[in-house]
Amino acid sequence: MDRYIALNAEQHQQLGWHGIDSLKFAAKTDTAPVLLEELPHLIPTMPVAFLELPSTDTAPARFEAVALLSLIPEHNLFVAPNGRWMGGYLPAALRAYPFRLLPRKDKEGLALCFDQTSGLLTDQPTEEQRFFKPDGEPSDKLNALLGFMQQCEAGRARTRQAVSLLAKHNLIKPWSLKLATEKGQNAQIKGIYRVDEAALNSLSAEALKELQEGQALALAYGQMLSQQRIKGFQKLYQLHTKLEEHAQSVSEEDVAEYFEGKDDTLSFNF
């Protein structure tokens, strides 16, 4: 069974979906792609970094801007054991679940697809839960979601262009990170990259102008400013351990300690 089904009125007229009430689906997500538009919301909350994506049959190797959600593989420190999001701002890449825009198999363009393994598909939807109206047009709720995802897709193209400019000027370098484990050892984290500040400061005025015009300069400074959030990962890890050991629900005080008492509850509209 394919995980994602491309939605269409002919096949899915009578179907719909349940809204999510938990972020447990993202509990093993340790990075999330980010958009330029999200930077002001991400910087106070979580570190931004770069990952190197391998080449494929259709695309060369490239870097991708991501939010770091953990330094522990498949362990999202921002999702509490009870599924609550602890990070204030929820990255756009996680907000469209269980939907994705994927390439169409039979023609060009992207299709709105649904993760049928999510457990959220229903064949007895309420009027509000339906994918499509009786006339076959997308429901208002589905239309709003599609509009959000299309804007994200446009933002993703701009972000990729900005990242490519940073790579063009050799500004993306390996980021050496270590994490203290329960045994007191330092685990070396590999495969993460950041902006080389010294290399950025040595660029010519012409190169800086190119970066500014392509929004890459904002991305570079945003990534560097966000690096301070790494120091809070150890607190989040300890909080997770506490919650798991004692089966506790996360409290506002526990979360505030990570965010240094600041109110980081943010909304973000494209």
Side-chain angles (χ1 to χ4, degrees):
M1 178 179 70
D2 289 339
R3 177 177 176 180
Y4 286 95
I5 54 173
L7 296 177
N8 63 78
E10 182 178 345
Q11 293 178 287
H12 309 117
Q13 176 76 52
Q14 304 303 320
L15 301 182
W17 82 102
H18 298 291
I20 61 171
D21 57 7
S22 167
L23 272 295
K24 286 185 177 181
F25 72 87
K28 293 186 177 182
T29 302
D30 46 38
T31 64
V34 300
L35 308 175
L36 285 169
E37 292 88 344
E38 295 184 278
L39 284 177
H41 309 288
L42 290 166
I43 291 170
T45 308
M46 60 193 65
V48 175
F50 302 98
L51 296 181
E52 187 173 16
L53 302 183
S55 61
T56 66
D57 293 338
T58 58
R62 63 179 178 84
F63 288 102
E64 180 178 49
V66 299
L68 286 182
L69 305 176
S70 180
L71 295 180
I72 305 169
E74 297 189 352
H75 187 176
N76 190 339
L77 293 176
F78 290 87
V79 176
N82 65 357
R84 176 183 169 181
W85 181 257
M86 299 195 295
Y89 176 72
L90 180 65
L94 301 180
R95 275 187 278 144
Y97 181 85
F99 295 89
R100 286 185 66 182
L101 287 176
L102 296 173
R104 298 180 184 275
K105 294 181 179 180
D106 53 346
K107 53 184 176 181
E108 294 183 1
L110 300 174
L112 180 61
C113 301
F114 186 89
D115 182 357
Q116 59 182 331
T117 68
S118 64
L120 298 174
L121 189 67
T122 175
D123 58 4
Q124 294 182 319
T126 64
E127 198 63 32
E128 187 178 342
Q129 293 172 329
R130 288 186 177 277
F131 289 133
F132 298 97
K133 298 177 182 179
D135 62 3
E137 291 297 312
S139 66
D140 293 342
K141 188 175 180 180
L142 191 65
N143 251 335
L145 179 67
L146 178 59
F148 167 75
M149 296 178 71
Q150 288 172 334
Q151 291 182 60
C152 286
E153 194 65 27
R156 192 167 292 113
R158 291 190 291 270
T159 306
R160 286 178 179 173
Q161 179 61 28
V163 173
S164 69
L165 284 174
L166 296 179
K168 172 185 174 181
H169 291 281
N170 298 313
L171 297 178
I172 301 178
K173 303 295 183 181
W175 189 359
S176 179
L177 290 172
K178 293 182 179 181
L179 178 70
T181 66
E182 297 98 325
K183 298 180 180 180
Q185 301 171 331
N186 286 326
Q188 184 76 40
I189 311 301
K190 298 181 179 180
I192 300 173
Y193 295 77
R194 64 175 175 178
V195 170
D196 185 329
E197 185 173 3
L200 177 63
N201 291 336
S202 67
L203 288 180
S204 67
E206 182 180 2
L208 288 172
K209 182 179 180 181
E210 182 183 14
L211 294 181
Q212 182 181 29
E213 291 176 347
Q215 296 182 278
L217 195 58
L219 177 57
Y221 283 118
Q223 190 281 315
M224 291 188 293
L225 286 171
S226 75
Q227 291 176 181
Q228 64 175 325
R229 301 311 311 177
I230 283 288
K231 64 185 180 182
F233 272 15
Q234 195 64 41
K235 290 181 181 178
L236 275 179
Y237 178 70
Q238 292 167 356
L239 176 57
H240 261 264
T241 302
K242 172 184 173 183
L243 295 173
E244 290 167 357
E245 288 178 351
H246 303 285
Q248 296 176 342
S249 296
V250 64
S251 70
E252 297 294 340
E253 291 75 17
D254 288 327
V255 178
E257 183 180 352
Y258 168 73
F259 291 111
E260 301 173 353
K262 299 177 182 178
D263 180 7
D264 287 304
T265 301
L266 300 170
S267 60
F268 181 52
N269 297 307
F270 285 88

